[in-house]
Amino acid sequence: MLREHSTPLYIYSLALMKRNFTSFDGAFGERPHAIHYALKANSNKAIVKTFADLGGGADVVSRGELYRALQSGIDPENIVFAGVGKTFEEIKKGLKKNILAFNVESIPELKLIAKIGKRIGKVAPVSMRINPGIDPGTDPYIATGLKESKFGVSKEKTLMAYRFIRDNTWLEAKGVHTHIGSQITSLEPFVRSAKFIQDFICNLATEGISLEFVDMGGGFGIPYGKEQNVPQRTEFVNSILESIDSKLKIIIEPGRSLVGGAGMLITRVIRTKESSGNRFTIVDAGMNDFVRPSLYNAHHEIIPVRNSCEKKARSDVVGPVCESGDFLGKNRLLPQTLGEGDYLAVMDVGAYGYEMSSNYNSRPRPLELLVKHNKFAVIRSKESFGDLTKHEVLPGFLR
Ligand code: LLP
């Protein structure tokens, strides 16, 4: 495989992604539920189709993601549309495509949805994203349920929003939504937010407002390395089920926990270098290919592809991009003789890996492969140098 394709390249395991989905699915037992894959984790159409084929729905946050979800065969009735900045065009498109619901992030947005519904003559299905004010204990960049966060609406305002929906001909309350953050590695924040939502549903019931579903969002953490202790998918689901009224359909929006552990990034060592007592292993994948370590200081295991029991030495694994923040791992134990032409695998990169890649330093984005048993298929070819400039236009005064 490495002889056929140039590195860096992403590889995903179909079997693992399917297993992750079915373990979530099985955990619900008889309870009405739906698993809406959060496309933002990895929107390659082969991956979205994998979940569509298993009966999965989608959580989308842009018109582009809506396009991808529909193109990959996800039933519009299984699509929720989230995001703080939905535009007029995005709302109109979602309405026309008959999606399950807009997860609404503010009162002005709600009013705009009603206006568009009226204009095109369609009752808009909505669920308010409530901000429960819960600290999920993750990186501040990916905590979304804190009171001061830009996401969701406070409890008091949400209650007002549902009264507004009840009294508006062009809106229909379908559900209630929350999402408190990502890479949450304990059950407690989920129990707290589920209880919060259950209380809120009771408040709504006293006002004669009933819903069809509760959307608990995503955020289920995965272990990044053997030592990290993270609850099982079934435990996450159970922590929610135990706190929510059994009649309502429960939606979850996992992204990372479906695809994160199913992907690795293969990179080739260009050379090694010593500088002021530091050892650097310079590889052909940079922060443009995989930005999580640079952006969040995220830890990903890095494993030599060639197995060896030789002596190890500590080194920083860095990319070729011209920034000191361009690293894949710091102070890693790697075989002492590891050098030019050897391959390394950066683990657990299936979520927010390729998806957050860029062309920084004019580096074409890498290839993506999907493995099924002992076969593999290219699911996205490597970008060419022509791709780098294809949308650029030389103005007449420079020709
Ligand atoms: N639903 C909503 C409304 C979300 O905002 C997100 C993620 C998800 C579902 C999926 O969350 P997951 O199950 O993947 O944790 N780029 C960051 C993660 C950003 C997550 C944003 N929202 C990273 O690389 O860690």
Side-chain angles (χ1 to χ4, degrees):
M1 179 185 69
L2 290 175
R3 259 172 254 123
E4 280 170 56
H5 299 291
S6 67
T7 52
L9 56 87
Y10 278 91
I11 308 180
Y12 309 108
S13 156
L14 183 68
L16 261 183
M17 291 191 288
K18 284 184 168 179
R19 205 201 303 156
N20 294 342
F21 186 95
T22 49
S23 65
F24 270 129
D25 205 23
F28 282 93
E30 299 295 301
R31 297 278 292 265
H33 68 279
I35 300 167
H36 286 216
Y37 173 52
L39 263 74
K40 62 177 80 66
N42 189 327
S43 64
N44 186 298
K45 59 186 176 188
I47 290 173
V48 183
K49 170 114 179 28
T50 300
F51 298 126
D53 289 350
L54 293 170
D59 158 46
V60 303
V61 290
S62 68
R63 201 164 151 188
E65 285 191 354
L66 177 61
Y67 169 79
R68 283 177 175 280
L70 293 170
Q71 208 196 26
S72 306
I74 297 207
D75 187 341
E77 280 181 25
N78 279 328
I79 297 179
V80 287
F81 200 138
V84 288
K86 296 179 203 76
T87 64
F88 185 96
E89 285 305 321
E90 285 176 326
I91 295 167
K92 198 165 99 187
K93 196 76 188 172
L95 266 179
K96 286 199 164 159
K97 291 288 176 190
N98 296 319
I99 63 165
L100 175 65
F102 292 97
N103 286 337
V104 182
E105 304 249 10
S106 67
I107 309 287
E109 180 193 329
L110 186 64
K111 290 185 174 163
L112 177 64
I113 294 174
K115 203 165 112 190
I116 300 172
K118 184 174 179 188
R119 187 176 298 185
I120 66 171
K122 250 188 182 168
V123 176
V126 290
S127 59
M128 294 304 297
R129 176 170 180 174
I130 188 164
N131 182 337
I134 290 173
D135 183 353
T138 61
D139 188 284
Y141 272 29
I142 52 177
T144 52
L146 302 173
K147 273 211 164 64
E148 60 274 22
S149 135
K150 72 173 175 181
F151 298 101
V153 181
S154 70
K155 188 174 172 182
E156 297 69 35
K157 277 194 181 162
T158 308
L159 202 55
M160 278 159 51
Y162 279 99
R163 289 181 191 134
F164 180 84
I165 298 166
R166 182 187 54 198
D167 301 337
N168 191 299
T169 334
W170 298 102
L171 295 173
E172 185 188 1
K174 284 280 192 179
V176 61
H177 176 234
T178 192
H179 170 80
I180 52 174
S182 195
Q183 184 53 12
I184 300 168
T185 53
S186 69
L187 299 175
E188 196 246 13
F190 287 104
V191 173
R192 284 178 59 203
S193 71
K195 287 198 168 136
F196 180 95
I197 292 287
Q198 178 59 52
D199 281 353
F200 185 75
I201 295 165
C202 295
N203 285 351
L204 286 183
T206 59
E207 305 231 356
I209 299 168
S210 60
L211 304 174
E212 288 171 25
F213 66 78
V214 171
D215 181 345
M216 290 301 298
F220 315 106
I222 61 167
Y224 283 107
K226 287 186 213 82
E227 290 93 59
Q228 209 181 357
N229 210 355
V230 177
Q232 302 286 317
R233 288 171 190 78
T234 44
E235 294 177 287
F236 279 125
V237 171
N238 285 336
S239 70
I240 292 172
L241 293 185
E242 280 161 16
S243 308
I244 302 225
D245 188 311
S246 63
K247 287 181 293 298
L248 290 176
K249 168 171 153 186
I250 296 178
I251 294 175
I252 53 168
E253 303 171 345
R256 188 190 315 267
S257 49
L258 286 178
V259 294
M264 58 185 168
L265 175 66
I266 305 292
T267 181
R268 193 172 51 87
V269 177
I270 299 175
R271 67 183 62 88
T272 56
K273 167 177 172 171
E274 307 269 343
S275 175
S276 308
N278 291 332
R279 185 178 160 87
F280 297 99
T281 302
I282 305 165
V283 296
D284 65 358
M287 64 191 288
N288 72 295
D289 303 299
F290 186 57
V291 77
R292 297 197 75 253
S294 310
L295 191 58
Y296 311 114
N297 214 6
H299 176 90
H300 286 259
E301 293 287 293
I302 302 179
I303 299 172
V305 170
R306 177 170 54 85
N307 220 350
S308 100
C309 47
E310 69 186 88
K311 243 181 108 193
K312 300 209 162 45
R314 294 211 168 260
S315 95
D316 288 358
V317 181
V318 301
V321 170
C322 297
E323 298 229 13
S324 298
D326 176 34
F327 65 93
L328 297 177
K330 293 240 165 113
N331 206 20
R332 298 305 176 88
L333 266 181
L334 292 169
Q336 207 162 26
T337 61
L338 189 88
E340 186 183 339
D342 287 328
Y343 293 102
L344 292 174
V346 186
M347 306 303 287
D348 309 311
V349 301
Y352 309 107
Y354 188 97
E355 199 66 28
M356 294 177 79
S357 65
S358 76
N359 287 130
Y360 188 41
N361 277 199
S362 282
R363 293 168 47 82
R365 282 191 182 80
L367 176 98
E368 289 181 295
L369 294 173
L370 183 61
V371 176
K372 183 183 179 188
H373 307 306
N374 53 358
K375 289 198 211 107
F376 62 86
V378 174
I379 57 168
R380 184 183 333 237
S381 48
K382 187 178 171 66
E383 279 180 342
S384 66
F385 292 109
D387 289 334
L388 290 179
T389 53
K390 73 178 175 202
H391 297 298
E392 291 166 30
V393 182
L394 272 185
F397 50 80
L398 285 183
R399 277 188 205 136

